[in-house]
Amino acid sequence: MKSAVETLNPTRVRLSIEVPFEELKDSLDAAYKKINQQVTVKGFRKGKIPARVIDQRFGRGAVLEEAVNDALPKFYTEAVNEAELNVLGQPEVDITELKDGETLNFTAEVDIRPEIVIPDYSGIEVEVDAIEVSDEDVDKSVEQLRERFASTSPVERAAEDGDVVTIDLEAKVDGEVLEDGIASGVSYTIGSGELLEGIDEAVKGLEAGGEATFTSELKGGSAEGKEAEVAVKVTQVAARELPSLDDEFAQLASEFDTLDELKADSRKRLENMKQYDQATQAQERVLEKLLELVEVPVPEKLLADEVQTRKHNLEHHQLGQMGLDLAKYLEIQGKTAEEFDAETAEQAVKGIKTQFVLDELVNKEKLNVNQEELTEHLMRRAQSSGMSPDQFAQAVVEGGQVPMLVGEVARGKALAVVVEAATVKDTNGEIVDLEDDEDESAAAGETVEAEAAADAEEKNEA
């Protein structure tokens, strides 16, 4: 076999491959054997039909077609390996010449990873939010905990903001009661915004037994999006009672003995959250600066496939779970289809560039992923997916996605290398040392990389 490579552009090549006919012998033998198992000829046992009879009865062309289909992947792979190409996706193959007994010539056009030069990134400087936790932040956190331990008790008065009312609802569209428009015994906290728009104004001021009607756009069900006349009846009004903020509450709501200890723990938790947010912010901003420094050609077909994948996932998975279609989503977002397409393409370009650049850094810095790092990443991914670690691990293995997870960890480590070399300051002008919590920084790097390069991995591994 002989092959030659023609560079069509920085991300695409054409392979021209010549195969002497004798190198097709194994594929021809396999073709005759396969056809032997599929056909019957009177006078011959199944699987024992001579090759000359198959040629006569079914045509030499059928045998050649089967043999060529079997041989092409092998010769294509040999040519790719010989040329040391890093290919992306599937090739477009064209048989240019097939002479029985002489030669097989074909071409294969395929996208390749572009050659990327990583410049000196030690001069990158970014600014991030300072870690500041105020007394108000702590009070708000404790108040949220207090809300969780609130109790309710029925009252004989008109409903007010914050009360929990028990209500019956009936929705009509064009004067007709909807089959799915009746609900009884619904518990609703006034002011929570968890039900229909306009319901707060309708029920406030009503005592148990009081009724009102209001008009609202339905958020779901058979008449989603339509204006409905909604009748509401209050069957009970209950006041929410919050526990006193004292040591007794601290003991009820936590493992601490005093309110001061509970507040100190809340402050520490908020600081840890802000520290993680700060690390993520640093990773994101360093990545943006890095991408600005590197010229990365993006394969057109890979980009088109990535955009299509993102749109498909949004329409058929994310929006489907929310009960929305793309048109309704765009209406809610206040975007045109053209703006949505441009935004999706921009995100896809960033994802592909991110993966290319960080993969190049992995190679340049000779970064490896050990079992402990992979396990920790798997645990984090399982937690975010809502699956148990065992379930997630099984799904990863069965789906052949272990290399994808390894790639995510490696790219997270590559980004962490760049962040370590960069200068990160907070809004107070203080240098931020992200090495204070290496675990959080690593996790943030993997999160940033995974989000930026979402959905690109499968195609790049193909």
Side-chain angles (χ1 to χ4, degrees), residues 129-134 137 269-279:
D129 294 336
I131 297 177
E132 296 174 345
V133 177
S134 66
D137 293 332
R269 289 175 183 272
L270 290 172
E271 287 174 350
N272 289 341
M273 289 171 58
K274 286 181 177 289
Q275 186 175 33
Y276 181 85
D277 290 343
Q278 187 186 66

Side-chain angles (χ1 to χ4, degrees), residues 187-209:
S187 181
Y188 175 66
T189 302
I190 299 175
S192 66
E194 294 175 351
L195 282 179
L196 299 170
E197 186 175 346
I199 194 170
D200 290 340
E201 293 76 9
V203 298
K204 277 193 295 187
L206 296 181
E207 297 183 15

Side-chain angles (χ1 to χ4, degrees), residues 126-190:
V126 298
E127 184 181 74
V128 296
D129 294 336
I131 297 177
E132 296 174 345
V133 177
S134 66
D135 291 342
E136 290 76 13
D137 293 332
V138 174
D139 290 343
K140 183 179 178 181
S141 175
V142 173
E143 187 63 25
Q144 289 173 343
L145 181 61
R146 188 185 178 204
E147 290 277 350
R148 290 169 50 191
F149 285 85
S151 60
T152 60
S153 58
V155 292
E156 294 182 3
R157 60 165 173 77
E160 302 172 355
D161 271 329
D163 285 344
V164 179
V165 291
T166 304
I167 54 178
D168 298 335
L169 297 166
E170 181 182 86
K172 293 180 181 179
V173 173
D174 298 330
E176 297 290 332
V177 178
L178 300 171
E179 290 186 9
D180 55 355
I182 299 176
S184 300
V186 177
S187 181
Y188 175 66
T189 302
I190 299 175

Side-chain angles (χ1 to χ4, degrees), residues 344-360:
T344 303
E346 182 180 351
Q347 293 169 347
V349 167
K350 182 180 180 181
I352 293 170
K353 286 186 174 181
T354 295
Q355 186 164 319
F356 284 172
V357 171
L358 295 184
D359 282 346
E360 184 62 29

Side-chain angles (χ1 to χ4, degrees), residues 39 47 96 201 208 210 246 297 308 318 425:
V39 301
T96 56
E201 293 76 9
D246 52 24
Q308 184 59 37
Q318 300 171 38
K425 294 183 179 180

Side-chain angles (χ1 to χ4, degrees), residues 171-174 178 180 196-197 215-230 322-325 327-329 331-332:
K172 293 180 181 179
V173 173
D174 298 330
L178 300 171
D180 55 355
L196 299 170
E197 186 175 346
T215 301
S216 183
E217 181 180 313
L218 298 179
K219 296 181 179 180
S222 61
E224 179 183 1
K226 293 185 178 180
E227 289 288 328
E229 182 182 273
V230 183
M322 298 164 60
L324 298 174
D325 59 18
K328 186 66 175 178
Y329 170 76
E331 180 184 336
I332 294 172

